[in-house]
Amino acid sequence: MRIKIGKYRFYFAPRKLTYFAILAFFVYFLGCLPTVLFDHPTSTILLSKEGQLMNARIADDGQWRFPEMDSTPKKFNAAIIAFEDHDFYAHTGVSFRAIGRAILSNLKAQKIVSGGSTITMQIARMARNRDRTFYNKTIEAIWAFRLELRYSKEELLTLYASHAPFGGNVVGLEAASWRYYGLPPHELSWSQAATLAVLPNAPGLVHPGKNRAILLEKRNKVLKTLFEHQKIDAITYELALEEPLIGAPKKLPSLAPHLLEKAIKKGQKGKRMRTTLDMSKQEKFTQILAQHQMHLNHNYIHNSALLVIDVRNNEVVTYLGNSATEKEHQKYVDIIRAPRSSGSILKPFLYASMIQEGLIHNNQLIPDVPMNFDHFTPKNYDEKNEGAVKAGEALAKSLNIPSVYLLQQYGIDKFLHKLRSIGQSHISKSAEHYGLSLILGGAESSLWDVANAYAGMTKTLNYYNNENMYTTSTWEDASLILPHPSTNSSLTRTTSKLDAAAIYETFQALLSVNRPHMEASWEQYSSSSKIAWKTGTSYGNRDAWAIGCTPDYVVAVWVGNATGEGRPGIIGTTAAGPILFDVFSHLSLKRSWFIPPYDELVKMSICKDSGHRNTMNCTKTDTVQVHQNALRGPSCNFHEVYLTDENEEYRYTQECSQGIKTKTVSQFVLPPLQAYFYRSTHPNYKNLPPFHPNCEGKMFQHTFSIIYPEHNSKMIGTLDLDGISKGIIFEASHPDHSATLFWHVDDHYLGETKGKHSIKYLPEGGEHLLTVLDEHGNQKKILFTILGD
């Protein structure tokens, strides 16, 4: 045989030509299949830990086409074989018996009613996507033989199920199962599996109308075949026949849209991701958050977010990035990851850090008086002062002034380093930038960072009580996607960012029920479960936080407006707190509370009044369990020892006590400014008795005086030309030129003076009480009246 190729002529003998044709076919046969059979874009899907669909994003070509499945359920396999390819497990890609049956059926019907294609040939046709011609049918047969060599029968069924059309824009069994039945494929009934087995052969039957009768007939035929082949029993067959047909396509679940969006941005587009989320918790807490959001909307508070971490396995079980449902309320913003003003939510980290270094412990008094820190004057939320307060109580009440005072003692730079070490990634500026307002919300953090830091504290306690060890992964962020990143989970002694004893003492303080503005329902819940919890409210009421910790879970809530608009109702205790405890009421808590880390705790004798280490002057003592480093802390210096008479009416010096029967007394005494406020909340607190008139110590008491205004004076407030009050200048005199005076009008602290004692007061109409104290606890009081215009 002569063959002309261009200007060249070739001669082949018939036998050689046959060999060449066989070789060419063999080469084609081996390489006919592409490396990737299907390269269509796929949907991005998010699954729960149990494998339930939580979210899906349609593929770029507008099809609901899920990524290829790993396997197909047995019911669908049996149904598709019964309907499409009875000899599937017997043939090698092409069934000549099926082709023969198809030819007879077509001749009998005098039209094409069957093509005789096997499931394998249909995979080839879907992969090639060519017109149905005799030539293409031949190529599909060749591909089918080759597919049988490359894949197992189970793999072929999975390929078919993953890429077969199921009507409309639904491709693949998994997408069809969710779109038509709202179920994962492995939960389909026999009737449902039979119905879906019919659709790839005639996808148009899924539409309602006249097709319903045809679809019902085909489904029932598949069920009958399954029954005849003993795949189902008679009862199952009868029940399956009674099941209704497919209805309108269902809307796919949208339970974690913000997490899905984050995954897409991280390069997971078109993939199937199995998360750590618990389906039932995600659904339940979505409802709870929506219910609370309805009430919040009445106060024009449009957004909230919730994160729940199971600290036992370090997995996020609930991720609700935003409760808003309207675009105008920024529903697409993932608030869990968004930086927001931290309010008071960082305070426990400061307290734990100082406890770890032995600088404070829960029972130790710290000052709570008006303070000015280089033009920064913090105030407590209720604008009241207690004078002196136990450190644990100050944390439980979230008092601002004691926290700022402690931060100044600890050091801003040092605290910033600690915050960054526990994952506060948004706190990146210098100490000079933040200043002391850092502890009151001057920095930004995210719900994700804060929740994981609290989870780190919780895990430290849990791990410590597991053979007294810490783990290197204690402070790693909770997992969201399965499988977990490979980490060394072996327990080893490491330097903890915050040790177990410091965390335990901090959590003990956060158990307190004494919270301002909290609804009474919280106390009812707290009686049954111990929860260490902390709230935060940012400046301008823009952010409300609530974080709660138990040995099992960390629950973190944020409430506010994604736009940053403040509202009066955006308060941690009343806006975020109720959500926190509503969530906890639906969590099953295995352990009631943490086991104390006994190896890091010691018993210490303290002064019952001051909380500092006991000294010989302390008259009332107590023994408490504290961090072992507290033994290095300061001893009590809040007692003054003096001579007094038997009735303790006066103080005496040795020189003026001649002829008087005296005794030595040790009395708990706070600095004057602290004592002034402390007295109002502690009625049993006693001032030092005055010196006896015969004693020289009377000097300061009688010569310290208020110069202006006079007692019971009446004054008129004056205005300048712009109508602004000029104020009134108060004056006092003290014989000790180095003495400090503390000024108050009613319960309002004006400030302190030293040397020259004059201070400005902006008048308010009515009668007022002016109180001035010196460093020795002496005080003077006068009444004055500001007259109106």
Side-chain angles (χ1 to χ4, degrees), residues 345-364:
I345 210 69
L346 304 179
K347 287 178 181 176
F349 305 133
L350 173 62
Y351 279 74
S353 299
M354 296 188 74
I355 290 171
Q356 180 167 303
E357 297 185 26
L359 299 174
I360 60 171
H361 62 83
N362 279 346
N363 291 280
Q364 177 181 323

Side-chain angles (χ1 to χ4, degrees), residues 600-616:
E600 293 182 0
L601 294 169
V602 295
K603 289 184 177 180
M604 183 173 75
S605 178
I606 62 168
C607 169
K608 199 167 186 178
D609 290 315
S610 71
H612 289 254
R613 276 193 303 116
N614 185 27
T615 67
M616 60 182 298

Side-chain angles (χ1 to χ4, degrees), residues 377-392:
T377 307
K379 293 183 178 181
N380 293 328
Y381 186 83
D382 58 5
E383 298 189 359
K384 295 181 180 179
N385 298 94
E386 298 190 26
V389 61
K390 291 181 179 180

